[in-house]
């Protein structure tokens, strides 16, 4: 008599590692596996930005102060402790910056952008970007982000959002005040120059207190 063969026992499936790195892979399609950003100009680099800044943005999306439905939906029910863990993980990453954009603007526009970023325009109450974001534009802990490695369309869109009040921050909302003094031509010039900057040797944000801010800013504790 031929005995029916017994079905093979399935091997138990191994559980994926329960780490923040594994969980954050859900963010990779938009922001890259290491938070480095993707080719989509509107999905920014997150890696290496100050944890306090990233946490503020996650809370803003969760609470609806920043408006982008996929982010609002994904973060809607996450507690602040978990958002802090996410922010600290992203802040710990340090992948290379992408190659700088090849500017399509002319030399005069680039010169204007460079002047506004590095010197500002006191006659119009526009401080230099470097006075808050640092001489190397890498930001400062805990709440001021670096400005390098971002694509032109993203920089332009965010400056526009600050100008028109569709992006806001904790009071006093210093970026909304500064951006409110910019013209569309200023935004185009700043965008062109910033996006064309090469990566500095040190990409990480400098420690809190490395330099004094020109005014109070709600997202950066004094």
């Amino acid at each position: 008599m031929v005995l029916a063969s017994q079905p093979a026992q399935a091997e138990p499936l191994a559980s994926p590692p329960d780490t923040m790195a594994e969980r954050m892979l859900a963010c990779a399609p938009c922001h890259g596996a290491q938070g480095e950003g993707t080719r989509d100009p509107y999905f920014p680099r997150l890696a290496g930005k100050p944890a306090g800044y990233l946490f503020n943005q996650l809370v803003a999306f969760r609470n609806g102060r920043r408006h982008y439905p996929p982010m609002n939906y994904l973060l809607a029910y996450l507690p602040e402790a978990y958002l802090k863990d996410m922010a600290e993980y992203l802040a710990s990453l340090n992948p290379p910056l992408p190659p700088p954009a090849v500017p399509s603007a002319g030399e005069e526009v680039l010169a204007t952008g460079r002047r506004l970023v590095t010197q500002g325009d006191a006659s119009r109450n526009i401080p230099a970007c470097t006075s808050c974001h640092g001489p190397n534009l890498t930001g400062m802990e805990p709440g001021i982000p670096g400005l390098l490695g971002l694509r032109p369309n993203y920089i332009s869109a965010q400056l526009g959002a600050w100008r028109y009040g569709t992006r806001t921050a904790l009071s006093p909302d210093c970026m909304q005040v500064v951006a409110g003094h910019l013209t569309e031509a200023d935004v185009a010039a700043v965008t062109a120059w910033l996006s064309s900057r090469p990566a500095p040797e040190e990409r990480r944000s400098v420690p809190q207190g490395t330099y004094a801010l020109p005014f109070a800013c709600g997202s950066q504790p004094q």
Side-chain angles (χ1 to χ4, degrees):
M1 181 173 63
V2 178
L3 297 176
S5 60
Q6 295 296 318
Q9 293 293 321
E11 291 290 330
L13 295 176
S15 298
D18 188 15
T19 63
M20 184 55 70
E22 191 71 23
R23 295 176 185 181
M24 292 296 291
L25 288 178
C27 306
C30 294
H31 293 285
Q34 290 292 308
E36 72 276 15
T38 60
R39 290 183 179 275
D40 190 302
Y42 295 104
F43 294 146
R45 176 188 178 90
L46 302 177
K49 294 194 184 307
Y53 169 79
L54 293 168
F55 173 70
N56 286 343
Q57 305 318 303
L58 291 169
V59 170
F61 279 119
R62 186 196 64 180
N63 295 351
R65 194 174 71 242
R66 289 191 69 176
H67 305 285
Y68 181 59
M71 286 290 291
N72 300 138
Y73 173 79
L74 288 169
L75 300 173
Y77 301 106
L78 295 182
E80 291 199 357
Y82 194 83
L83 297 182
K84 286 183 179 179
D85 289 343
M86 291 173 65
E88 288 170 3
Y89 170 75
L90 288 166
S92 73
L93 302 176
N94 194 25
L97 289 171
V102 177
S104 57
E107 289 299 322
E108 185 175 347
V109 171
L110 290 172
T112 298
R114 180 182 185 279
R115 177 173 51 80
L116 289 171
V117 171
T118 62
Q119 301 174 32
D121 186 341
S123 68
R124 294 189 289 148
N125 294 317
I126 300 172
C129 301
T130 53
S131 65
C132 289
H133 295 274
N136 292 324
L137 299 168
T138 55
M140 182 167 66
E141 299 287 346
I144 299 178
L147 300 180
L148 302 179
L150 300 173
R151 300 188 186 279
N153 286 8
Y154 180 80
I155 298 173
S156 178
Q158 298 313 302
L159 287 173
W162 290 116
R163 287 178 69 213
Y164 295 113
T166 56
R167 179 174 176 178
T168 60
L170 301 174
S171 180
D173 192 344
C174 48
M175 269 305 301
Q176 193 168 50
V177 173
V178 172
H181 294 298
L182 299 175
T183 66
E184 290 189 13
D186 293 334
V187 169
V190 167
T191 294
W193 194 78
L194 275 179
S195 61
S196 68
R197 294 302 85 208
E201 185 174 341
E202 177 52 61
R203 299 189 295 273
R204 292 191 179 279
S205 301
V206 299
Q208 183 176 5
T210 299
Y211 51 86
L213 300 184
F215 41 62
C217 194
S219 59
Q220 180 78 349
Q222 298 298 304

